[in-house]
Amino acid sequence: MENKKTLNRRTFFKISGAAGGGMVLGFSWLAQGCKQPEEIAKVLEMPSEWYDINAYLKIGDNGVVTIFSQNPEIGQNVKTSMPMIVAEELDIDWENVIVEQAGLNTDKFPRQVAGGSQSIRQGWKALRDAGATARQMLINAAAQQWEVDPSKLTVSKGIIQGPNGQELGYGEVASMAATMEVPTDVPHKKITDFNIIGSDKKNVDLQNIVTGKPLFGIDTKREGMQYASVLRPPAFGQKLVSFDDAEARKVSGVNDVIKFGNKIAVLADATWPAMKAKKLINAEWAVDSTLESTADHDKQLIAKLNTDNTEPFRNDGDVDKAFSEADEIISRVYESPFLPHNCMEPMNFFADVREDKVEMHGPIQTPAWSRSRASKIIDRKEEDIDVTMSRMGGGFGRRLYGDFSDEAAEISSIAKKPIQLIFTREDDMTAGTYRQAIKYKIEASLKDNKITGYKLSEAAINSNMYGLIPNFFPAGAIPNLRISGNKQKSNITTGAWRAPYTNFLAFAEQSFFDEVAEKLGKDEVDLRMELLEIAKPIAESDEKIEYSPARMQGCIKLAAEKAKWGKQAQGTYQGISAYYSHNTHVVEIANVVMEDGQAVVKKVTCAVDCGIVINPDAATNMVTGGIIDGIGHAMYGDLTFDNGVPSAANFDEYRLIRNTEIPEIDVHFVPSTKDPTGLGEPTLPPAGGAIANAIYKATGTRMYKQPFVKEMNVIG
Amino acid sequence: MAQYTLDVNGKSQTVNVDSDTPLLWVLRDSLNLVGTKFGCGIAQCGACTVHIDGIAMRSCSIPVSKVNGPVTTIEGLSENGTHPVQKAWKQHDVPQCGYCQAGQMMTAAAFLKENKNPSEKEICSAMNGNICRCGTYPRINKAVKTASKL
Ligand code: FES
Ligand code: FES
């Protein structure tokens, strides 16, 4: 499978470097194509020669196409859906496609990040260009061969047809196409001509997943590799004073114990001795800064909620006037705990720091950041560091932070050996980069049966909502509006967690609007539709406003119709939540019934507007998962701190939603020809509000704090 | 360290490890069978599920010295993914990240040997010990149902 070096061709998308479209994982089982036959009888025949057409694809002399998936795969299915976009524009048979994960190559690829649900949205144009341009090069090559004008040729599924009925397969012209000028401004296909986009394509790794092939970072093996298990301070705010590793070193299979910073790494021939020996290290820790507790955070955050000393993030009209003239004011406080990410695959990373080169491989959402930090930590040039990404057993934001890739690089550099760092679940849960504890105070002024003013104040550990969020709903829907926030510094590491901020804010806001509807004596759907109607003209003139009131109305209509809103039999209670985040509009309606005096969530109906749906069946899977994850964390997710120590370290102490606790989920997409947006995050935020609002109708109890399970006896 | 001879996926395998080494790490590190996953190490998540004598067991919590029966891992469930559970998993395109799925399938395969025509409720209960952070439970349940008919 040699990459044929191509000459005389201009760089593509400012691509530097010549051969190869990315890192080739030499695994033979990749050669199954995208077909997922019941029995793997038909294996694609591999070409004898590959021709690089551009950074995204190469074509074999037999017409087989390899598409490189440049973004990290965390379960959001971009390894399938992004290549589908390329294949669509290239106009080939999906069954002749092999997908390979590209390694980090910032010269070739624009954005190798899994984050913010942006892979599809931000990749859309470049992926279409890649496919369309390649198609045109193949056409141009055939035209040259037949000595006809390229405009006279047509293409279908990898076969080029000439004006006199001649035919050439892509494989037959690939070598010539690879040397052609790269055309510019090649038109994209008409949306109505799509046949891959919008059809159900199975996960390209499906066969490998169901047969247990080594796909994940934790499965990495290399010659001479040592397994590293790291002892870190048991509490945030502690530092290492001294340690005794005599017992640890006695464990058979242990080869070394290394101190680095405030941590100690045990290196062993296998995982178990490394993990076992780590527990035998006798370390002494001392207080370095403050040992923080949740009880203190609660007091600090409540105080912050009530201080209005920061510049508002958004300030419309005259909020103070609206509140002073109000007939009635509603004021509510919503509170959330910390949350660990709990990817099913614990953090891990491989590093081999050698004289000649540095190799790093593993599950990382931000490979470029890992490389640049490693370069500083081990004092090596970035060009010397190769980073490749494995499939990831979940990301959820945790793998945006490469503390583990930093550790791996540092340990390998000290040990001068290839090492695979592995977190235990306890390491993973207690050395987290948590969703921070946040509190919201939301207030509305009501006058003449209308909402005249809205104030939202955020008090959060370490950081406040990012700049786009204040311009989400209800911005534009209420004339006098102020969104502000304060933060409380903490030594507990916090960061993005699936749908940062909105994962809790949506619950607070959408629960609050239910109370407003009740006060105004309005149906919850009607109130939202009316507010969105008010926001429509404002959203047109105010460029900052992030959501589309019309698209949200479309989602509400679809969800209400599918969920038979207001038409349920007695004993079924419905709650609605409408939330825009990560460029996608989502509405969820929960059905709750009472069983033996307990509220049980029976069903969630969901309507999503994410523009064009690339891979509908996979999109449904993602949407469903987001809702379940949202319900699970609203219901059970809970992490507190006592003197810097997290309250849970493993799944015996931390509850994730389980199979018997899920409701039926019914997913609908708003038909659309708009550019696609992402789905990894946006269906999580509305879930908490939808079930809380339905629980209220069923029980008369409002939820103000997560997890709900602490507030009352509810069952998923 | 001591020698242990295990029957894994129909092959006799001898390993040299400490007696307290969990079967999980023997499979993954000594025998290179990395399809069986590590999730918690304390029998809570099901990611490490294998069959011992046909019964679904948590390999993270069974020391190698206590393994007394033939072991089947995801790699040994079938040649090339043709076990009914694997076929059904493919038909429903169950995985998201995929990490929990080997454990899910091993639990399902053992369960379906005992219960050939399970109800929806029985399926959920049987699968309740396997966590999926991605929330693929609805598809898991559909796939188990489908597999029961294959
Ligand atoms: S790893 Fe064995 S049950 Fe979680
Ligand atoms: S598919 Fe990701 S944990 Fe189950």
Side-chain angles (χ1 to χ4, degrees):
Chain A
M1 273 196 264
E2 281 275 281
N3 283 312
K4 185 124 181 169
K5 268 226 177 181
T6 54
L7 302 169
N8 306 327
R9 49 183 286 240
R10 289 208 334 240
T11 52
F12 188 82
F13 303 137
K14 299 197 194 75
I15 298 156
S16 72
M23 191 205 61
V24 178
L25 297 167
F27 301 137
S28 57
W29 61 77
L30 286 170
Q32 284 159 3
C34 290
K35 193 169 186 192
Q36 298 282 351
E38 276 305 297
E39 322 275 331
I40 301 296
K42 183 184 146 210
V43 168
L44 278 182
E45 195 144 321
M46 296 310 283
S48 45
E49 206 79 71
W50 286 106
Y51 301 98
D52 296 319
I53 307 296
N54 59 45
Y56 295 82
L57 62 104
K58 61 180 181 184
I59 298 181
D61 53 10
N62 64 349
V64 170
V65 178
T66 295
I67 300 180
F68 296 99
S69 185
Q70 79 268 32
N71 279 25
E73 172 63 64
I74 55 177
Q76 81 284 45
N77 208 31
V78 290
K79 193 175 171 185
T80 305
S81 52
M82 293 178 87
M84 282 172 70
I85 299 168
V86 178
E88 179 70 70
E89 291 291 347
L90 183 60
D91 210 334
I92 37 168
D93 191 340
W94 182 247
E95 292 183 10
N96 282 336
V97 173
I98 295 170
V99 175
E100 286 184 22
Q101 176 71 54
L104 176 65
N105 192 329
T106 40
D107 293 332
K108 280 185 174 176
F109 300 112
R111 182 187 180 275
Q112 292 185 282
V113 173
S117 301
Q118 294 300 311
S119 294
I120 290 290
R121 177 172 170 264
Q122 296 196 30
W124 176 241
K125 184 169 181 304
L127 295 166
R128 294 186 82 184
D129 285 347
T133 310
R135 183 187 65 215
Q136 191 61 50
M137 287 159 80
L138 293 154
I139 290 174
N140 292 351
Q144 201 168 315
Q145 203 161 316
W146 291 327
E147 295 177 348
V148 294
D149 191 274
S151 66
K152 298 273 183 308
L153 311 191
T154 57
V155 178
S156 173
K157 295 204 168 184
I159 309 287
I160 305 166
Q161 284 208 327
N164 306 319
Q166 326 87 304
E167 281 190 356
L168 277 171
Y170 279 180
E172 296 169 274
V173 289
S175 70
M176 192 193 260
T179 64
M180 313 260 334
E181 280 284 299
V182 178
T184 50
D185 297 326
V186 179
H188 296 150
K189 262 191 182 176
K190 283 210 284 292
I191 290 169
T192 44
D193 290 340
F194 284 170
N195 62 66
I196 294 175
I197 292 174
S199 69
D200 296 336
K201 296 287 180 256
K202 296 206 162 152
N203 188 326
V204 295
D205 280 338
L206 188 53
Q207 172 70 9
N208 296 330
I209 292 169
V210 304
T211 52
K213 294 293 187 296
L215 292 169
F216 298 92
I218 202 169
D219 304 336
T220 306
K221 306 233 174 189
R222 295 284 194 284
E223 196 58 37
M225 182 181 97
Q226 292 281 297
Y227 293 82
S229 186
V230 171
L231 183 66
R232 301 172 186 81
F236 286 89
Q238 282 182 330
K239 65 176 181 208
L240 180 63
V241 179
S242 64
F243 69 100
D244 174 1
D245 61 13
E247 289 303 309
R249 284 181 184 272
K250 282 185 202 154
V251 174
S252 50
V254 169
N255 295 312
D256 211 351
V257 178
I258 293 170
K259 174 183 178 292
F260 64 110
N262 269 320
K263 306 167 194 174
I264 307 156
V266 178
L267 268 57
D269 295 336
T271 315
W272 179 248
M275 287 180 175
K276 184 166 117 181
K278 176 172 83 162
K279 288 196 195 145
L280 297 173
I281 294 174
N282 213 336
E284 198 191 320
W285 311 96
V287 177
D288 189 26
S289 52
T290 327
L291 301 182
E292 300 177 16
S293 295
T294 292
D296 305 325
H297 290 153
D298 281 343
K299 281 188 212 125
Q300 291 159 342
L301 292 177
I302 290 287
K304 298 261 175 207
L305 269 189
N306 294 315
T307 40
D308 224 1
N309 59 359
T310 47
E311 268 295 291
F313 305 143
R314 185 176 172 110
N315 201 1
D316 293 347
D318 189 339
V319 170
D320 294 333
K321 185 157 171 275
F323 274 75
S324 69
E325 291 171 355
D327 298 335
E328 191 175 355
I329 289 169
I330 312 177
S331 176
R332 298 288 182 266
V333 171
Y334 299 88
E335 303 177 72
S336 72
F338 287 83
L339 293 178
H341 291 82
N342 282 331
C343 303
M344 285 311 290
E345 179 190 14
M347 298 305 111
N348 64 85
F349 222 77
F350 171 83
D352 184 9
V353 180
R354 298 191 304 265
E355 299 260 298
D356 61 326
K357 221 168 181 23
V358 179
E359 193 196 339
M360 296 179 70
H361 175 74
I364 182 75
Q365 293 178 245
T366 51
W369 295 358
S370 281
R371 183 175 62 188
S372 90
R373 280 194 320 275
S375 139
K376 295 194 185 80
I377 293 167
I378 58 176
D379 194 19
R380 293 288 290 265
K381 288 206 236 49
E382 285 206 30
E383 304 90 89
D384 292 347
I385 306 173
D386 260 351
V387 181
T388 50
M389 296 86 86
S390 63
R391 188 177 181 85
M392 290 177 239
F396 310 110
R398 179 63 183 88
R399 289 183 161 108
L400 293 168
Y401 308 98
D403 44 301
F404 42 87
S405 70
D406 297 353
E407 289 181 353
E410 191 167 1
I411 297 166
S412 171
S413 149
I414 299 170
K416 299 197 169 35
K417 281 183 190 132
I419 67 111
Q420 167 74 8
L421 168 73
I422 297 192
F423 281 40
T424 60
R425 175 57 59 191
E426 290 80 3
D427 297 337
D428 194 277
M429 222 182 282
T430 60
T433 306
Y434 308 101
R435 194 285 299 274
Q436 72 267 62
I438 302 193
K439 299 190 196 298
Y440 289 105
K441 181 169 164 185
I442 312 183
E443 295 170 281
S445 59
L446 308 181
K447 191 171 171 62
D448 302 332
N449 225 32
K450 283 197 172 64
I451 316 178
T452 54
Y454 183 85
K455 281 197 276 192
L456 181 139
S457 159
E458 177 184 81
I461 297 291
N462 284 337
S463 57
N464 285 115
M465 63 172 76
Y466 53 86
L468 299 175
I469 296 176
N471 303 303
F472 291 1
F473 183 85
I478 302 169
N480 306 297
L481 170 142
R482 183 159 72 221
I483 313 290
S484 61
N486 270 298
K487 53 182 176 266
Q488 171 68 41
K489 272 269 146 237
S490 164
N491 59 18
I492 295 165
T493 42
T494 56
W497 188 104
R498 196 176 197 176
Y501 302 98
T502 61
N503 56 44
F504 179 65
L505 170 60
F507 150 73
E509 175 199 297
Q510 289 294 304
S511 304
F512 184 79
F513 275 100
D514 247 45
E515 289 207 54
V516 171
E518 191 178 31
K519 275 268 169 3
L520 296 176
K522 285 196 171 158
D523 175 85
E524 298 87 347
V525 164
D526 293 347
L527 175 72
R528 284 170 175 82
M529 292 297 274
E530 282 168 24
L531 288 170
L532 289 163
E533 200 57 39
I534 296 169
K536 269 187 193 167
I538 317 253
E540 276 195 2
S541 59
D542 181 342
E543 279 183 4
K544 276 197 166 160
I545 288 188
E546 263 288 308
Y547 65 103
S548 157
R551 290 177 82 173
M552 189 58 97
Q553 283 183 331
C555 281
I556 292 178
K557 273 190 216 139
L558 180 61
E561 177 206 318
K562 297 292 180 190
K564 302 197 171 58
W565 176 262
K567 297 188 193 102
Q568 291 291 323
Q570 234 197 345
T572 297
Y573 304 91
Q574 291 190 307
I576 185 170
S577 174
Y579 206 76
Y580 163 96
S581 65
H582 305 275
N583 311 95
T584 296
H585 298 77
V586 183
V587 173
E588 290 168 23
I589 294 176
N591 291 8
V592 162
V593 300
M594 296 301 289
E595 280 175 8
D596 302 327
Q598 287 179 321
V600 182
V601 183
K602 279 289 182 196
K603 183 173 177 179
V604 174
T605 307
C606 176
V608 182
D609 183 349
C610 60
I612 293 166
V613 183
I614 308 292
N615 191 357
D617 185 58
T620 303
N621 198 355
M622 182 54 35
V623 165
T624 304
I627 296 168
I628 290 172
D629 202 21
I631 295 173
H633 282 90
M635 211 70 124
Y636 314 117
D638 192 16
L639 193 78
T640 57
F641 286 85
D642 188 15
N643 284 313
V645 180
S647 58
N650 206 328
F651 296 131
D652 53 342
E653 298 166 326
Y654 190 90
R655 186 167 172 191
L656 284 173
I657 193 165
R658 287 179 183 266
N659 197 315
T660 50
E661 294 161 337
I662 57 156
E664 179 193 343
I665 313 265
D666 183 25
V667 177
H668 302 273
F669 292 96
V670 175
S672 173
T673 53
K674 292 208 161 59
D675 287 355
T677 58
L679 289 172
E681 287 158 297
T683 66
L684 183 142
I691 59 173
N693 292 337
I695 289 169
Y696 169 72
K697 285 217 201 128
T699 64
T701 306
R702 289 270 179 209
M703 298 288 123
Y704 296 106
K705 266 189 193 182
Q706 289 186 356
F708 301 160
V709 74
K710 266 192 176 168
E711 300 295 290
M712 64 175 300
N713 206 2
V714 285
I715 295 181
Chain B
M1 295 249 244
Q3 276 209 348
Y4 297 91
T5 299
L6 307 172
D7 173 343
V8 181
N9 298 332
K11 260 216 282 258
S12 171
Q13 303 268 16
T14 302
V15 295
N16 209 358
V17 291
D18 273 352
S19 63
D20 62 352
T21 309
L23 173 61
L24 169 66
W25 299 113
V26 171
L27 294 170
R28 290 185 55 87
D29 294 351
S30 310
L31 301 177
N32 237 333
L33 295 167
V34 295
T36 305
K37 296 299 190 232
F38 167 58
C40 68
I42 57 162
Q44 290 290 321
C45 77
C48 65
T49 307
V50 299
H51 299 171
I52 300 179
D53 245 342
I55 296 167
M57 305 286 269
R58 305 285 164 92
S59 67
C60 70
S61 300
I62 300 162
V64 62
S65 53
K66 297 269 161 62
V67 177
N68 39 25
V71 179
T72 307
T73 70
I74 186 72
E75 292 92 342
L77 199 55
S78 70
E79 286 266 317
N80 267 335
T82 50
H83 184 282
V85 164
Q86 290 168 311
K87 284 187 183 174
W89 245 250
K90 287 187 271 186
Q91 190 181 319
H92 291 277
D93 202 4
V94 174
Q96 283 182 36
C97 81
Y99 192 78
C100 72
Q101 300 296 344
Q104 305 274 6
M105 285 185 284
M106 294 310 282
T107 302
F111 165 65
L112 289 175
K113 259 192 282 176
E114 298 301 313
N115 190 337
K116 302 242 180 299
N117 188 19
S119 68
E120 267 174 51
K121 246 204 161 116
E122 288 167 335
I123 293 173
C124 293
S125 310
M127 301 306 297
N128 207 42
N130 288 71
I131 298 175
C132 175
R133 166 77 215 268
C134 298
T136 62
Y137 300 125
R139 282 182 190 226
I140 287 170
N141 297 344
K142 276 190 209 140
V144 175
K145 187 85 204 160
T146 298
S148 74
K149 296 184 182 139
L150 289 176

